[in-house]
Amino acid sequence: MSAIPIRLYPEQPKQVYLYASCLVDMFDPNAGIAALQILEAQGIEVLWLEQQSCCGQPAYTSGYTDSAMKVAKQQFELFDTDIPVVVLSGSCAGMLRKHYPSLLEKECDSDALAKFSNQVFEWGEFLLNICQIKLLDKGETTKAVVHNSCSARREMGIAETTMRLLKQMDKVELVEPKYASECCGFGGSFAKRHQDISLAMVADKAKHLLETQASFLLSADWGCLLNINSYLEQQQSGMRGQHIATFIWQRCYGGEL
Amino acid sequence: MSQHIHPQHFKQQSKVALADPQLRSSFRNAMDYLQDKRAQSFSEPGSFEQLQLRGEAIRKRCLNQLPELLEQLESSCTNNGIVVHWAEDAQQAREIVSGILAEENAKTVVKGKSMLSEEIALNEHLAALNIECLESDMGEYIVQLANEAPSHIIMPAIHKRKQEVAELFAKHIDGFEYTEDVDSLIKAAREVLRYKFEHADAGITGVNFAVAQTGTLCLVENEGNGRMTSTVPKVHIALMGIEKVVESLNDIPPLLSLLTRSATGQAITTYFNMISSPRQSEDNDGPNAVHLVLVDNGRSQAYSDERYRASLQCIRCGACMNHCPVYARVGGHSYASVYPGPIGKIISPHLLGLEATGDLVTASSLCGACESVCPVNIPIPALLRELRSDAKLPSASEQALKGQASHRSWLEESVWVIFRIIMTKPVLYRGLSFFVVRFSFLMPRLPAIWGPQRSNPKPSTKTLHQLMRERKKNS
Amino acid sequence: MSSKANILGRLKSATIESSKNSELTPNLTSELSACSSTFGLEQFQQQLELSHAEVINLDNPNQIEAKLKSLIKDNAWKHGVWSSSTNPSRFLDVERQLSKSEILRQVDGSESKADYFHHFDFGLSFSEAAIAETGTIVLHPGTNESRSLSLIPPVHVVIVCLKQLHHNFEQFMLDFEQQGQGRPMPSNLILVSGPSKTADIQQTLAYGAHGPQRLIVITIAALED
């Protein structure tokens, strides 16, 4: 992808949709609650759509375009109000923002798709650039390493945004792992279909993350975390990745979820 | 050359490569080196994007008028005295080359680096005709001695350590005194190859760009073997994929700059060789005859599909493989296709059909590193996704890609139909996800979903949907 | 049907709406002057030296003879081959001296391959054009010069006139096209940016892969047109 166009951000809205992703729904619902509460703390009313399931990306990247399209259509049609859709994953945000318009080209109105695409924001991106959030770090001094997903980095162009958001916590030293921009080896069905290659990738990723000796591993994408954590757990490492929303909530807003 | 391996066995081949720590470190080191060199050469902010925009525009414009430019190229070359041949497939291309060699009574051939000659398996063909065809690019020479295929399109012997090269030379070069000193190794090969250049009957090279307006063939290289091959023997045969034609001389500088900076981080290569005719009466030397073989071999198939045409923009710099986390780990040979790495994944289906290359198109996490460094902005991940989709099409359509629908599997398809049903029925989705978290404790006991070295992901004890309901109830 | 007709037929039948693409075509020359900073000898020399070439700067053509003599002596060269400049008026005196030299032979097309491979220690030629940005000399073998001269002997000495220093390859190409309007391209036009090299063994740079191990560039500052 050539240079990602500079995005112009609107004023902070009164209402937003929260799109949690199926992975947060099933694997880390507390991150969803944290994300929601932080949004509410900005004075925003968060709309939760009970009918949200999955963005369809797994089918899409596996080449099952038709299944992906039907899922995408059902999800897209849920968002009938023209307000921001705040997504708890760079990868799902990329799917909604960058791929829905072409995937649903023949099924849905192109103006509506363009409007929708323009309303899709990744959660951290939304907080930093639209809410202009100022985080007040109440935690202890610590060291954290961040893994940005490839979609966040190369599709959404928000890897730096996430870092800027986290840097606001002045007692957290952010350390950069070696090969920071390299993929963790998740890639949806790739991790299953080409397990050996995926394993080699995640093993290297884990090695570089552990080498930083950080106390926390943070990511804005549960896809990567699912992969990295599964590897770390099997290796009986003490490190376990968590969503940035959980980390921010715990340090800046007061405690447990 | 490495007849046993085939793209269909990619999984097994990559498994072997992954288990070879020496190979892994050879590739990792080489990739680090090449990534670093490229980054340095585009260190000025925006310099890459600006040049990329122009490169992409030039390639797109030229491809849009491809048939016309090819006809113009043929007529310009013919006017200049270059004989132009057309080959629809590999076999025709091979026969054209051996036909020319027979006519010239050529028995020994030196070859400059040409991936297209690998693509049409020229060496094997000539060997069968008792024509010696010696690779003269240092890397190609090394892999030829080892009876292997190139593992990288720019640095063919990237998988070999100098010790292995020294052993090869000791085995094959008479009078070679064993040394692992790279300067001495190059000197030894230089001596062998200079003798061959001096006595070869014909030279074969590839073409990096051909200029339609002037009938000019451009060769990009550092070693000088391309110049030797196209200068010293009495016949020069240039092999070119039909997509490589550009309109005018002015299209060349931006593309050359993109090519050398993306490939090896060089502002320019040592030699940029522009050949527009055989030796003229006033020239002091040069070949008496120059032949240009234009090869299709699946390219027109890619051309005819709006999505895949972009793959023909490629200028063969290798940056995509240099930045690919999969390539860095499995190496070039695992792909067993002439063009490895990300670009290989999207052009091999047109050369070999999707049936043979189905595993190649899925062997990517779609991380997009390739696309982010592509000098002509080929949307490689998007094309991979399209190829995955085509591999599973229900039936071959009219403008079928070879092997379309070949990777349809009833079982896999059912999985995604079920996925669709669940995800589009919110009640069903919530019910099922409730079931998943309810029985999450069973996950570790299920068969390992992604191998024994990663535990099965463990769902939470409640879904976010449940938590949200509870929250609503409480407020 | 011929292969040509089949290939072109397939390509021509593959008409794709290309409106999107044609919009993308920018004016190629518009950013020409905007792309680089420093210009001139310094950059030219710096780039050449980065590529492992040896650069000798002379103030005027009269110094060439002495310089060549010392090069020949220092390197113990026994046989050289030289070609005259395509613009002889510029280097008339130099060429007169060269033609008197006992160890130098002027290209006349009678040299054999063996001469180039085994006899000549160095080749000497004049360059009509050079490119600063990449440290590149442009060779134009033809009537006076042979292709082999700059390729096969182990050393290539090239005399460059600074009046012909182009900013970058793009500008050279534009000038070249303008000057050569209508004329066919020369059989061979070569850009050289250093001695022959390779990094094909374990990314270790080695010079003198197939072509010259050394490239000696002599620049002359005070040449009048």
Side-chain angles (χ1 to χ4, degrees), chain A residues 1-3 20 22 24-30 32-33 36-37 40 48-54 56 58-67 70-71 74-75 99 150 154 179 182-183 185-187 189-202 204 226-227 229-231 233-235, chain B residues 10-11 14-15 18 24 28 32 35 49 52 325-326 329-330 359 362-369 371-372 377 385 388-389 392 407 409 412-413 416-417 419-420 422-426 429-430 433 436-437 448-460 462-469 471:
Chain A
M1 191 163 317
S2 55
C22 54
V24 166
D25 184 30
M26 282 185 278
F27 291 90
D28 191 10
N30 286 336
I33 296 293
L36 176 136
Q37 289 174 350
E40 286 178 342
W48 174 253
L49 294 167
E50 284 253 304
Q51 297 91 330
Q52 64 180 281
S53 57
C54 168
Y60 185 59
T61 55
S62 302
Y64 290 87
T65 314
D66 189 57
S67 285
K70 291 193 168 104
V71 174
Q74 188 266 340
Q75 295 289 295
H99 299 287
C150 297
R154 288 184 268 266
Y179 299 100
E182 201 173 76
C183 176
F186 178 57
S189 56
F190 166 77
K192 167 128 189 79
R193 195 184 291 271
H194 293 277
Q195 306 185 357
D196 298 314
I197 303 173
S198 169
L199 175 67
M201 289 164 73
V202 74
D204 284 344
L226 208 61
N227 179 37
N229 281 352
S230 294
Y231 180 80
E233 185 178 322
Q234 192 69 19
Q235 307 308 310
Chain B
F10 172 76
K11 277 190 183 177
S14 58
K15 205 167 183 168
L18 286 166
R24 291 273 298 271
R28 181 85 263 178
D32 288 353
Q35 286 181 18
E49 290 76 9
Q52 181 199 43
V326 174
R329 287 172 178 81
V330 304
D359 274 343
T362 57
S364 164
S365 62
L366 304 182
C367 77
E371 186 183 21
S372 72
N377 208 16
R385 216 182 44 241
R388 291 175 184 185
S389 178
K392 284 141 194 160
H407 284 255
S409 127
E412 203 182 290
E413 208 167 301
W416 293 106
V417 168
F419 168 85
R420 184 189 78 207
I422 296 167
M423 294 306 178
T424 50
K425 304 272 182 302
Y429 167 76
R430 286 198 304 273
S433 53
V436 167
V437 294
I449 63 159
W450 42 27
Q453 293 200 57
R454 274 175 285 191
S455 64
N456 282 343
K458 202 157 163 257
S460 182
K462 278 184 180 171
T463 66
L464 181 58
H465 277 289
Q466 284 174 283
L467 295 184
M468 290 303 283
R469 268 195 193 168
R471 206 169 179 265

Side-chain angles (χ1 to χ4, degrees), chain C residues 108-222:
Chain C
D108 63 5
S110 68
E111 307 76 25
S112 68
K113 281 185 196 174
D115 288 340
Y116 281 110
F117 276 99
H118 307 291
H119 187 63
F120 300 129
D121 302 312
F122 71 105
L124 169 73
S125 64
F126 293 85
S127 170
E128 288 299 298
I131 298 166
E133 191 180 72
T134 46
T136 301
I137 52 164
V138 182
L139 302 176
H140 199 147
T143 321
N144 306 306
E145 192 179 328
S146 65
R147 294 196 199 181
S148 303
L149 178 149
S150 58
L151 174 64
I152 306 177
V155 183
H156 179 211
V157 183
V158 61
I159 298 169
V160 180
C161 172
L162 283 185
K163 286 259 150 116
Q164 306 143 330
L165 196 57
H166 297 265
H167 173 47
N168 57 22
F169 183 27
E170 198 155 1
Q171 193 197 35
F172 165 79
M173 226 29 152
L174 283 172
D175 294 349
F176 182 83
E177 269 209 308
Q178 263 168 14
Q179 286 162 12
Q181 263 175 0
R183 268 184 290 157
M185 286 284 284
S187 325
N188 195 205
L189 188 74
I190 309 156
L191 272 57
V192 178
S193 309
S196 154
K197 68 181 172 193
T198 184
D200 271 358
I201 301 179
Q202 229 177 300
Q203 299 91 55
T204 310
L205 211 47
Y207 293 92
H210 299 287
Q213 273 149 329
R214 292 174 68 192
L215 174 69
I216 302 172
V217 181
I218 301 177
T219 68
I220 303 155

Side-chain angles (χ1 to χ4, degrees), chain B residues 97-258:
Chain B
V97 174
S98 51
I100 299 166
L101 295 175
E103 224 167 84
E104 299 279 351
N105 198 22
K107 288 286 167 210
T108 57
V109 176
V110 279
K111 204 167 92 188
K113 196 170 157 21
S114 157
M115 290 311 294
L116 182 53
S117 76
E118 302 280 345
E119 184 184 318
I120 63 170
L122 185 62
N123 289 5
E124 293 86 334
H125 173 69
L126 296 183
L129 298 169
N130 270 329
I131 298 172
E132 180 196 83
C133 187
L134 192 79
E135 296 289 350
S136 65
D137 172 87
M138 285 296 175
E140 292 275 355
Y141 174 65
I142 292 165
V143 296
Q144 190 180 34
L145 287 183
N147 197 24
E148 289 174 1
S151 59
H152 188 280
I153 64 167
I154 300 291
M155 308 193 107
I158 204 163
H159 58 291
K160 287 249 180 288
R161 290 167 304 127
K162 56 187 178 186
Q163 293 83 347
E164 296 169 86
V165 177
E167 280 158 28
L168 267 176
F169 283 10
K171 198 168 145 197
H172 294 278
I173 299 177
D174 288 336
F176 172 77
E177 268 181 52
Y178 188 90
T179 171
E180 289 171 10
D181 173 60
V182 171
D183 271 326
S184 310
L185 288 169
I186 293 297
K187 213 166 273 171
R190 174 185 168 100
E191 289 315 313
V192 173
L193 289 163
R194 275 171 84 87
Y195 179 85
K196 296 290 183 181
F197 287 131
E198 188 182 347
H199 297 99
D201 300 319
I204 299 177
T205 69
V207 173
N208 291 95
F209 315 107
V211 183
Q213 280 176 7
T214 57
T216 303
L217 313 178
C218 305
L219 270 69
V220 181
E221 58 154 343
N222 284 312
E223 296 185 357
N225 65 310
R227 283 184 71 195
M228 288 280 195
T229 307
S230 60
T231 299
V232 184
K234 63 181 197 277
V235 190
H236 171 209
I237 304 170
L239 301 171
M240 176 185 142
I242 52 171
E243 81 282 18
K244 293 219 169 163
V245 63
V246 297
E247 193 172 355
S248 77
L249 288 173
N250 292 320
D251 291 331
I252 296 293
L255 292 179
L256 177 66
S257 180
L258 281 168

Side-chain angles (χ1 to χ4, degrees), chain A residues 101-113:
Chain A
S102 56
L103 185 60
L104 297 175
E105 199 177 30
K106 293 194 183 107
E107 300 290 318
C108 308
D109 174 59
S110 63
D111 288 342
L113 282 166

